Amino acid sequence: MNSMYFTEEHEAFRQSFRDFLQKEVVPHIDKWEKEGTVERFIWKKFGEMGYFGLNQPEEYGGLGLDLFYTVIFLEELQKINSGGFAANMWAHAYLAMTHVNKEGDDRIKREYLTPSIEGDKIGCLCITEPFGGSDVAGMRTTAIKKGDTYVINGSKTFITNGVYSDYLVVAAKTNPEDKHKGMSIFIVDRDTPGISSTKLDKLGWRASDTAEIAFDNVVIPAESLMGEEGKGFPYIMQHFALERLVMGINAHARAEYAVDYVVQYMSEREAFGKTLDKFQALRHKVAEMASRVDMCREYNYSIAKRLNDGIYVVKEASMSKLLSTKMADEVIYDALQLLGGYGYMEEYPMARLLRDSRLGPIGGGTSEILKEIIAKMVIDKKEYRPAT
């Protein structure tokens, strides 16, 4: 237990969630990885256990707990070796639901947030576009107001839960002439006419339904606007801090899983008359791997503490994602090497872990974009502030 951040209550939650995952999720992972679909029943079980409401307000059915319950939630999801399943869960709880909670009015929260907490509705966040990537301000999807409705046209891509979700949180330009201030956020029901999804075939995250989504004259009521019109860009930017920290935590957790697995493997695997963990070259490699994991984990915990205390941590979260995802890729690469030929076999966990990890430096802002954001803050002294 790291008593600087985790209490006995936290650790009891960790053990109960770990047991839940082993009982309710792990037996189905290989099937979901093969089929590319997470069956609906597990969402309901997560909801019944309160796992989608850890950081959500009690007024709408959440538990209102501190951010370290979320840290545990993310870490344990990484340790069942299905980045796709984990992504489905955290993209619902910490991407889509974050916007619903922060920008939605009371009606929207009761119609979407409460059933999301209960596992009855699944959400997805639609920001990235086929021609935009990390250039959020260059968004082309439009939402033009006509009377008491908005009409959405455009497309989104790489959307987690993009096929099987019940509602979409959509960023669109309400004033296409204004690059930053012309963007707004909407909540849209999946069955609204004009929405179509195409499932994407990916290198990793195979259990997750990732989609390209098209909006063809999708008419939604004006009350589907979340927050103020024209403030979509700062809403997105302020929530990126949480998303990037989530991906940083995911990275250190999967790297920790890789190290733990390889240490166990080396203690059992023999060569030249002794177990692998007795060879100095291999021992020192593990020492280096474990040190890098520990450095990132401790930094991520400190950022989680600051974010939990209400501090705006966009720089630190960007640094977390940049370095933690790079570290995870390299540690998992080395872990696979330490397994030798078995590391390349699908029946061992490293092959899937390596594929799943590779999305880390890409999703939620590429490492190249993050470097420029960090450079602006460090060199140009640019300050990013929450939406007001």
Side-chain angles (χ1 to χ4, degrees):
M1 179 194 298
N2 188 328
S3 57
M4 286 178 60
Y5 303 107
F6 298 102
T7 65
E8 290 185 5
E9 289 77 11
H10 286 125
E11 294 304 331
F13 169 72
R14 185 187 296 278
Q15 188 58 56
S16 66
F17 186 46
R18 184 178 294 169
D19 292 344
F20 171 86
L21 292 173
Q22 289 298 319
K23 179 182 177 183
E24 304 292 350
V25 176
V26 170
H28 306 284
I29 286 295
D30 287 342
K31 177 185 178 185
W32 295 340
E33 285 280 328
K34 183 177 180 180
E35 296 179 353
T37 305
V38 173
E39 292 171 280
R40 193 79 187 209
F41 74 85
I42 198 62
W43 297 86
K44 185 60 180 175
K45 287 190 176 182
F46 266 66
E48 289 171 348
M49 295 296 293
Y51 297 139
F52 290 139
L54 297 176
N55 68 328
Q56 299 295 342
E58 295 179 57
E59 179 183 0
Y60 298 101
L63 299 174
L65 298 171
D66 67 65
L67 197 57
F68 282 95
Y69 285 91
T70 290
V71 171
I72 293 167
F73 177 83
L74 297 169
E75 287 180 329
E76 295 304 318
L77 280 173
Q78 291 298 310
K79 295 177 181 180
I80 59 172
N81 199 27
S82 175
F85 175 80
N88 278 14
M89 299 298 117
W90 62 255
H92 167 64
Y94 297 102
L95 299 188
M97 286 174 60
T98 294
H99 280 276
V100 177
N101 179 39
K102 297 298 185 181
E103 284 99 59
D105 58 22
D106 181 69
R107 178 193 66 83
I108 287 174
K109 289 178 183 179
R110 296 198 182 281
E111 289 186 18
Y112 296 93
L113 185 61
T114 296
S116 294
I117 291 169
E118 294 171 348
D120 292 323
K121 282 188 177 181
I122 301 168
C124 68
L125 178 61
C126 303
I127 296 176
T128 302
E129 298 190 354
F131 301 101
S134 296
D135 182 13
V136 176
M139 187 174 294
R140 299 184 184 182
T141 299
T142 59
I144 305 304
K145 194 166 189 180
K146 293 188 177 180
D148 58 356
T149 68
Y150 286 91
V151 181
I152 303 178
N153 282 285
S155 59
K156 303 290 181 178
T157 197
F158 309 140
I159 307 304
T160 304
N161 293 329
V163 178
Y164 303 113
S165 55
D166 301 293
Y167 66 89
L168 305 84
V169 176
V170 181
K173 287 288 186 69
T174 41
N175 180 5
E177 306 304 316
D178 195 323
K179 189 172 184 180
H180 291 89
K181 295 182 180 179
M183 191 182 303
S184 302
I185 304 289
F186 300 88
I187 194 158
V188 184
D189 288 318
R190 165 68 60 175
D191 58 5
T192 306
I195 299 176
S196 59
S197 296
T198 303
K199 195 170 188 178
L200 302 175
D201 191 14
K202 310 182 298 296
L203 171 69
W205 282 21
R206 304 293 295 184
S208 175
D209 56 302
T210 306
E212 182 165 328
I213 302 176
F215 300 88
D216 182 11
N217 289 315
V218 176
V219 180
I220 59 172
E223 56 264 29
S224 296
L225 173 71
M226 293 206 296
E228 294 182 41
E229 186 175 289
K231 288 197 173 180
F233 188 78
Y235 291 149
I236 292 167
M237 291 298 106
Q238 72 179 22
H239 299 326
F240 267 158
L242 175 60
E243 180 180 356
R244 289 168 184 163
L245 178 58
V246 164
M247 296 193 75
I249 292 167
N250 289 341
H252 83 235
R254 64 177 172 270
E256 183 177 43
Y257 169 80
V259 171
D260 289 345
Y261 185 89
V262 84
V263 167
Q264 181 65 34
Y265 175 86
M266 288 170 60
S267 73
E268 299 168 352
R269 174 75 170 168
E270 291 190 9
F272 306 103
K274 57 183 178 181
T275 55
L276 296 185
D277 60 1
K278 298 299 190 290
F279 290 87
Q280 186 181 67
L282 305 186
R283 292 166 62 87
H284 289 186
K285 173 59 71 175
V286 171
E288 181 182 354
M289 294 159 63
S291 298
R292 296 181 70 191
V293 172
D294 207 60
M295 292 288 285
C296 286
R297 182 176 58 236
E298 287 299 317
Y299 183 60
N300 291 342
Y301 286 171
S302 74
I303 301 171
K305 174 66 165 60
R306 279 175 274 179
L307 186 59
N308 188 66
D309 291 344
I311 299 171
Y312 197 53
V313 291
V314 64
K315 181 180 76 172
E316 295 85 351
S318 298
M319 290 176 170
S320 163
K321 182 183 181 302
L322 174 68
L323 295 184
S324 296
T325 57
K326 183 175 188 290
M327 176 278 297
D329 275 4
E330 293 171 353
V331 165
I332 292 165
Y333 181 96
D334 288 340
L336 191 152
Q337 182 72 20
L338 288 169
L339 266 66
Y342 291 111
Y344 205 64
M345 298 296 109
E346 288 292 343
E347 63 186 285
Y348 287 74
M350 289 304 145
R352 181 191 296 166
L353 194 62
L354 185 72
R355 288 195 304 272
D356 286 352
S357 183
R358 190 59 189 84
L359 187 59
I362 298 172
T366 65
S367 293
E368 291 74 18
I369 292 293
L370 293 181
K371 288 175 185 178
E372 181 57 24
I373 291 171
I374 295 165
K376 285 180 179 178
M377 288 183 277
V378 173
I379 298 171
D380 303 333
K381 309 304 180 186
K382 181 178 177 61
E383 292 187 8
Y384 293 91
R385 299 184 182 278
T388 55

